[in-house]
């Protein structure tokens, strides 16, 4: 009798399913997740707008050093007196006065109010930057004023496109060549692209490296997460996934802290990516996934790793388990291959039929559409709030850091909320709370900094909870036979939201500072109300077939 299957969870229970080995390696894997945050969110700072004004040739006293805010500035450029901000790209025209015929001779030009026509302004093409302020690609690649703002916002969209393309490719490579290779090689290549990006000589080079940085790091996140939850036994997976998830917002916060300190985009990219090169040394530290080694037929390696886990955790792998592993290794591979091919063909036909039944079921089809919309709105608001945190009153760096760290308590609270309040009500409530908070900021005076920041943070807190709920909820609503396919469809639409999110700063340019928050509020309201159309899945068996999935929505089920 051949041994065709191995119960890996049972083996982990024997060697220690959440011992010192698992805790140490979750810490190491968490560092790789922390690093991916720099690849994902660094563009928020490298593409940030800068403080600059028009160069006034007639008034600026020197050709080498210019004062950003001279005493004559309000006579030469338009001001928004309500916001007390100067126009970055416009200047007043000169008066055509006989007394000002020799404009280039500054001995006869006083730069006072009589020299300029405040009823007429023109765009300028030379600029003066605030000394001591942050530097971004704005000054490096001459990306000024409204007409070029798209060059800044498109960076974040390209970053998300890189991640989108990376996911299926890295998933295939991870299944074929192992999680460890994807984590280490992806981290090193992403770090290399990040450092080279800091040395970019033009905008095109910067954009190409931005794409590949996101492309290489996109697979690191998913491979690390899969490997991390595979290290532990079934009873500890929720906790392990929560701990791993918490590393990402910590990484986001560190990105904000580093740029706050450095304030130079080139130095920032080099410093934030240098540690990633250290993952080249991780081949001797991070182990390969035992689960992957077993499924890949690398049984000898799996046995050695299980023995090491047992020794590290103070346990022992039994002779019976070793015998089972040897039987599995020596089993008839051809017989297994034929059997697996037959099962694969049968499963493929079954999956195709199930997918066709689901798409012809009005209830399931509407659920997929509603769920896809909910994914898109959640990702739009989640990433949009992170990217727009610098636009709210107060310190933009502190706001970004707090907006990142507020995710951590949300991650640990979400399971209790779902179990006590149900999935549907929790999904609806968190989206509606986020909607109310986003719109509330519009009615709070700007001088009330603490209230504005607090409302913003609670909004990010609620959308984080909503996102985690949605991930689990999606898996519970659809049948096992096509669950991965339908989850993939919904998450694919979610990526549309993350691609659109970096463009929301353009709304500020054309429609005012509150326009992104108004968009988030309206979309969260609509999605929250539509969430009430979902079936409740709390304490209900996960459906295995399309028929069972349809019956979840019945009041009698």
């Amino acid at each position: 009798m051949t041994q065709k299957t191995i119960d890996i969870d049972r083996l982990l229970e024997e060697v220690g399913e959440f011992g010192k080995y698992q805790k140490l390696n979750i810490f190491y894997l968490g560092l790789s997740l922390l690093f991916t945050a720099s690849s994902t969110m660094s563009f928020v700072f490298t593409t940030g707008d800068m403080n600059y004004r028009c160069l006034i040739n007639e008034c600026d006293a020197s050709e080498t050093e210019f004062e950003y805010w001279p005493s004559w500035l309000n006579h030469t450029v338009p001001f928004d007196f309500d916001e007390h901000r100067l126009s970055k790209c416009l200047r007043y025209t000169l008066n055509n006065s006989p007394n000002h015929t020799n404009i280039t001779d500054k001995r006869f030009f006083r730069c006072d109010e009589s020299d300029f026509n405040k009823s007429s302004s023109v765009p300028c093409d030379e600029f003066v930057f605030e000394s001591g302020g942050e530097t971004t690609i704005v000054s490096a690649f001459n990306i000024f004023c409204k007409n070029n703002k798209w060059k800044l916002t498109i960076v974040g969209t390209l970053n998300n496109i890189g991640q989108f393309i990376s996911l299926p490719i890295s998933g295939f490579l991870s299944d074929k060549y192992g999680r460890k290779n994807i984590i280490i090689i992806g981290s090193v290549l992403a770090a290399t692209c990040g450092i080279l990006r800091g040395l970019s000589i033009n905008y095109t080079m910067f954009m190409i490296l931005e794409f590949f940085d996101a492309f290489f790091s996109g697979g690191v996140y998913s491979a690390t997460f899969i490997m991390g939850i595979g290290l532990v036994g079934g009873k500890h997976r929720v906790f392990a996934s929560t701990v791993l998830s918490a590393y990402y917002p910590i990484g986001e916060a560190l990105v904000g802290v580093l740029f706050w300190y450095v304030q130079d985009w080139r130095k920032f990219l080099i410093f934030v990516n240098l540690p990633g090169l250290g993952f080249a040394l991780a081949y001797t530290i991070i182990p390969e996934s035992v689960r992957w080694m077993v499924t890949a037929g690398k049984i000898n390696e799996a046995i050695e790793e299980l023995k090491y886990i047992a020794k590290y955790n103070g346990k022992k792998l039994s002779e019976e388990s070793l015998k089972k592993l040897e039987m599995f290794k020596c089993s008839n591979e051809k017989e297994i291959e034929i059997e697996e091919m037959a099962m694969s063909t049968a499963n493929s036909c079954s999956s195709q039929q199930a997918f066709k039944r689901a798409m012809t079921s009005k209830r399931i089809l509407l659920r997929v559409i509603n769920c896809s919309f909910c994914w898109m709105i959640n990702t739009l608001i989640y990433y949009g709030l992170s990217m727009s945190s610098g636009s709210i009153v107060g310190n933009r760096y502190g706001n970004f850091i707090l907006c990142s760290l507020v995710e951590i308590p949300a991650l640990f609270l979400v399971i209790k909320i779902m179990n006590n309040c149900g999935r549907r009500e929790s999904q609806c409530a968190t989206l509606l709370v986020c909607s109310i908070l986003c719109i509330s900021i519009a009615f709070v005076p700007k001088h009330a900094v603490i209230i504005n920041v607090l409302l913003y943070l609670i909004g990010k807190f609620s959308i984080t909870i909503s996102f985690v709920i949605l991930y689990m909820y999606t898996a519970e609503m659809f049948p096992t036979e096509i669950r991965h396919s339908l989850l993939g469809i919904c998450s694919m639409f979610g990526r549309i939201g993350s691609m659109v999110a970096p463009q929301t700063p353009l709304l500020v340019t054309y429609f005012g500072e509150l326009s992104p928050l108004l968009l988030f509020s309206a979309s969260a309201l609509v999605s929250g109300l539509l969430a009430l159309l979902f079936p409740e899945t709390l304490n209900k068996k996960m459906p295995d077939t399309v028929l069972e999935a349809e019956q979840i929505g019945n009041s009698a089920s």
Side-chain angles (χ1 to χ4, degrees):
M1 182 178 177
T2 58
Q3 178 75 24
K4 297 184 177 66
T5 59
I6 291 290
D7 188 345
I8 300 174
D9 282 333
R10 176 71 185 84
L11 289 173
L12 286 174
E13 287 180 15
E14 191 173 315
V15 299
E17 56 182 339
F18 198 63
K20 290 190 296 181
Y21 174 90
Q22 283 82 4
K23 292 172 184 175
L24 182 63
N25 281 290
I26 283 176
F27 170 74
Y28 291 145
L29 293 172
L31 293 179
S32 66
L33 288 179
L34 186 145
F35 171 72
T36 60
S38 66
S39 297
T40 307
M41 299 304 294
S42 62
F43 73 86
V44 174
F45 295 103
T46 59
T47 63
D49 205 359
M50 296 175 61
N51 290 327
Y52 56 88
R53 64 167 175 85
C54 289
L55 173 67
I56 312 298
N57 288 316
E58 301 81 11
C59 300
D60 281 300
S62 169
E63 294 184 358
T64 56
E65 292 186 16
F66 303 109
E67 185 181 352
Y68 175 68
W69 203 287
S71 58
W72 43 259
L73 192 60
N74 63 327
H75 304 319
T76 60
V77 299
F79 267 77
D80 182 343
F81 289 100
D82 291 334
E83 301 289 340
H84 195 63
R85 290 186 307 181
L86 59 85
S87 173
K88 292 183 174 183
C89 303
L90 295 175
R91 55 160 292 172
Y92 293 132
T93 56
L94 291 168
N95 279 325
N96 294 319
S97 169
N99 295 326
H100 301 138
T101 55
N102 191 11
I103 291 300
T104 57
D105 189 347
K106 296 181 176 58
R107 291 175 298 174
F108 301 100
F109 197 83
R110 296 171 296 177
C111 286
D112 59 24
E113 196 167 357
S114 63
D115 294 322
F116 295 89
N117 181 7
K118 290 192 174 182
S119 62
S120 175
S121 58
V122 292
C124 53
D125 53 13
E126 292 184 275
F127 304 92
V128 174
F129 292 90
E130 182 180 22
S131 61
E134 64 182 43
T135 62
T136 69
I137 65 170
V138 168
S139 59
F141 306 134
N142 297 321
I143 306 173
F144 302 110
C145 305
K146 287 185 179 181
N147 293 338
N148 284 331
K149 277 292 179 67
W150 66 270
K151 288 186 176 180
L152 298 179
T153 59
I154 200 67
V155 175
T157 297
L158 186 67
N159 183 289
N160 279 279
I161 292 173
Q163 295 179 61
F164 180 79
I165 297 174
S166 167
L167 290 173
I169 297 174
S170 60
F172 170 77
L173 294 175
S174 174
D175 288 338
K176 186 171 183 179
Y177 299 107
R179 322 303 187 204
K180 178 177 178 178
N181 287 317
I182 295 299
I183 294 169
I184 295 174
I185 296 174
S187 296
V188 173
L189 289 177
T192 303
C193 289
I195 293 171
L196 291 175
R197 198 159 84 254
L199 303 174
S200 297
I201 58 175
N202 55 46
Y203 180 75
T204 302
M205 178 180 175
F206 180 88
M207 291 292 281
I208 292 172
L209 290 168
E210 180 77 41
F211 172 84
F212 282 106
D213 189 348
F215 177 82
F216 291 127
S217 67
V220 173
Y221 187 94
S222 55
T224 302
F225 207 83
I226 290 171
M227 185 170 174
I229 60 176
L231 284 173
V232 301
K235 293 184 292 186
H236 301 278
R237 281 179 198 154
V238 172
F239 179 76
S241 65
T242 303
V243 171
L244 284 170
S245 298
Y247 274 89
Y248 188 82
I250 293 173
E252 286 183 309
L254 290 176
V255 166
V257 170
L258 182 60
F259 196 85
W260 191 357
Y261 177 75
V262 176
Q263 298 209 341
D264 179 279
W265 72 277
R266 292 188 185 276
K267 293 178 181 177
F268 164 74
L269 284 174
I270 293 171
F271 291 160
V272 81
N273 285 288
L274 271 177
L277 298 179
F279 281 95
L281 304 175
Y283 266 107
T284 59
I285 300 173
I286 297 177
E288 183 54 88
S289 167
V290 171
R291 294 176 187 274
W292 178 81
M293 287 191 284
V294 170
T295 56
K298 299 179 181 292
I299 307 303
N300 287 332
E301 292 92 330
I303 292 173
E304 291 303 314
E305 189 62 30
L306 285 167
K307 287 180 178 179
Y308 178 77
I309 296 172
K311 181 180 178 181
Y312 203 88
N313 287 342
K315 305 282 186 177
K316 186 178 181 180
L317 189 63
S318 68
E319 291 297 325
E320 182 183 355
S321 295
L322 285 170
K323 191 176 296 184
K324 287 182 178 179
L325 286 165
E326 289 293 338
M327 289 174 62
F328 182 84
K329 183 179 67 173
C330 298
S331 59
N332 191 319
E333 294 180 1
K334 187 174 181 180
E335 179 185 352
I336 295 175
E337 183 179 347
I338 293 172
E339 183 177 297
E340 285 179 347
M341 288 176 61
M343 288 177 64
S344 175
T345 304
N347 287 339
S348 176
C349 294
S350 176
S351 295
Q352 291 177 6
Q353 293 171 1
F355 190 83
K356 186 176 180 179
R357 288 198 304 272
M359 292 300 99
T360 54
S361 167
K362 184 178 179 181
R363 176 171 289 176
I364 299 296
L365 182 59
L366 289 176
R367 195 179 297 170
V368 171
I369 294 172
N370 192 10
C371 189
S372 298
F373 178 75
C374 196
W375 267 83
M376 185 170 63
I377 298 305
N378 269 265
T379 54
L380 170 67
I381 300 173
Y382 175 83
Y383 287 105
L385 286 177
S386 293
M387 296 169 194
S388 301
S389 58
S391 65
I392 58 176
V393 292
N395 184 290
R396 66 179 294 237
Y397 306 108
N399 291 340
F400 180 86
I401 294 166
L402 290 173
C403 196
S404 301
L405 295 178
V406 78
E407 296 179 33
I408 298 175
L411 290 170
F412 286 93
L413 184 63
V414 66
I415 302 300
K416 187 172 183 179
I417 290 176
M418 280 195 295
N419 291 335
N420 291 344
C421 305
R423 280 41 163 167
R424 179 172 56 193
E425 285 73 15
S426 299
Q427 187 78 76
C428 173
T430 50
L431 284 167
L432 293 183
V433 167
C434 182
S435 174
I436 293 169
L437 291 166
C438 287
I439 195 68
S440 297
I441 297 174
F443 299 98
V444 176
K446 283 204 166 183
H447 60 78
V449 176
I450 295 177
I451 297 176
N452 273 282
V453 173
L454 187 61
L455 289 173
Y456 201 93
L457 292 177
I458 299 174
K460 180 65 181 298
F461 181 86
S462 61
I463 198 63
T464 301
I465 294 177
S466 174
F467 208 165
V468 177
I469 292 171
L470 182 61
Y471 214 107
M472 185 173 291
Y473 204 0
T474 304
E476 294 177 336
M477 282 191 289
F478 297 122
T480 301
E481 49 192 357
I482 51 171
R483 181 171 293 132
H484 200 167
S485 298
L486 297 183
L487 176 62
I489 291 173
C490 295
S491 60
M492 180 184 69
F493 279 95
R495 280 292 171 185
I496 295 175
S498 64
M499 291 177 192
V500 172
Q503 301 300 321
T504 54
L506 279 180
L507 296 175
V508 176
T509 303
Y510 294 102
F511 301 105
E513 288 189 354
L514 295 176
S515 51
L517 291 171
L518 295 177
L519 172 65
F520 300 153
S521 177
S523 56
L525 174 64
V526 173
S527 186
L529 294 175
L530 289 175
L532 294 173
L533 299 177
F534 289 137
E536 181 54 70
T537 59
L538 178 64
N539 297 327
K540 293 188 178 180
K541 175 184 175 293
M542 289 182 70
D544 292 318
T545 65
V546 173
L547 181 61
E548 289 179 358
E550 288 180 308
Q551 291 174 344
I552 291 180
N554 295 334
S555 57
S557 64

